[in-house]
Amino acid sequence: MNKILLAKFFAAFSSLSAGIAIVATRFVISDTDPETIAVLRFGIGALCLTPFLIVGFIRNPIANADWPKIVLLGILFFGLFAFLSNAALKYTTAAHGAIGLATSPIITLVLAWIFGRENMTKVKMICVILALFGVTIAVSDSLVENSAGEELLFGDMLMLLAALTVSIYSIFAKPYIVKYGGIYFTSIIMTIGVLSLIVVFQLAGEPIQLPNFSPVNWWIILFLGVVGGAIQFTSYIWALERISPSTVGIALTLAPISAFIFAWPVLGEVISYQAIIGLVLVVSAIVIMNKQSH
């Protein structure tokens, strides 16, 4: 199996596990807070990657000039993104959250165009409009005048902000991923992100504390840390190192599919027809956009 094909496999695996992780997070989020789950999930993930961190520091130490940007990327991805995505799932459904996160490739396209890194063709513009239309339809059941609808909409907006952080990361992180290697780089920024959350909430007077979880919830947290933390994001960044962001982005459309599959039996969430139609439109937009990028 060549590296390109293997990278596509890891991108697909990462996206499928992301959908399952969304369902798992939604399962435990009601018993704690977004920042605690983020610290536990990625703290466990960082511990799993500690050997790669140590070996990397010995063999390929980070250049002094690179540290400021790498710290910012760590805070952005495993700090801000981790908090926003968890906070979103406090309010919205797993299906809505997964669709919102799947818009990241479209947001990446728009940002890359704004920063002059990609040309915006008519077809790509149509894809952006199609994706926005799809998201609007997907969350239309939350556009109602009651408290439940307002909470859903607030969660949907938080997840779109989380997708924005993923897009910014995808644009600016690749040079460092290529320079230092995917697994080593992941171990660094994951550790930075976790430490940033601990420090921020300590300074805010809300220190991270271990929740009073049931054994089932602790097993879910362990799954989120090992599979949904270390393995998922190492796979994602390893793929991003070897194939284009647009190719990795198309795999992200698998996240809502796995979330849809597990949301009903695990959470009892009924998948609305609006969510299915919205997902089809978002996936179509990303597939068309990806073909235009080749």
Side-chain angles (χ1 to χ4, degrees), residues 69-84 161-162 164-173 189 192-193 196:
K69 291 182 179 178
I70 289 176
V71 168
L72 287 175
L73 287 169
I75 294 172
L76 177 73
F77 199 36
F78 288 109
L80 186 58
F81 163 75
F83 174 76
L84 286 174
L161 285 175
L164 174 62
T165 64
V166 174
S167 299
I168 296 172
Y169 172 86
S170 298
I171 291 173
F172 293 102
I189 61 170
I192 291 170
S196 71

Side-chain angles (χ1 to χ4, degrees), residues 57-137:
F57 269 130
I58 295 172
R59 293 182 177 179
N60 191 14
I62 305 296
N64 291 335
D66 291 339
W67 270 116
K69 291 182 179 178
I70 289 176
V71 168
L72 287 175
L73 287 169
I75 294 172
L76 177 73
F77 199 36
F78 288 109
L80 186 58
F81 163 75
F83 174 76
L84 286 174
S85 59
N86 288 345
L89 293 171
K90 190 90 173 176
Y91 301 99
T92 194
T93 65
H96 280 206
I99 293 172
L101 188 59
T103 61
S104 176
I106 298 295
I107 299 173
T108 301
L109 168 64
V110 174
L111 290 178
W113 172 63
I114 291 173
F115 288 112
R117 299 192 177 192
E118 185 150 358
N119 295 323
M120 181 65 75
T121 65
K122 290 182 180 179
V123 174
K124 290 179 180 178
M125 181 61 72
I126 292 172
C127 290
V128 172
I129 295 171
L130 185 63
L132 291 174
F133 186 53
V135 171
T136 302
I137 291 177

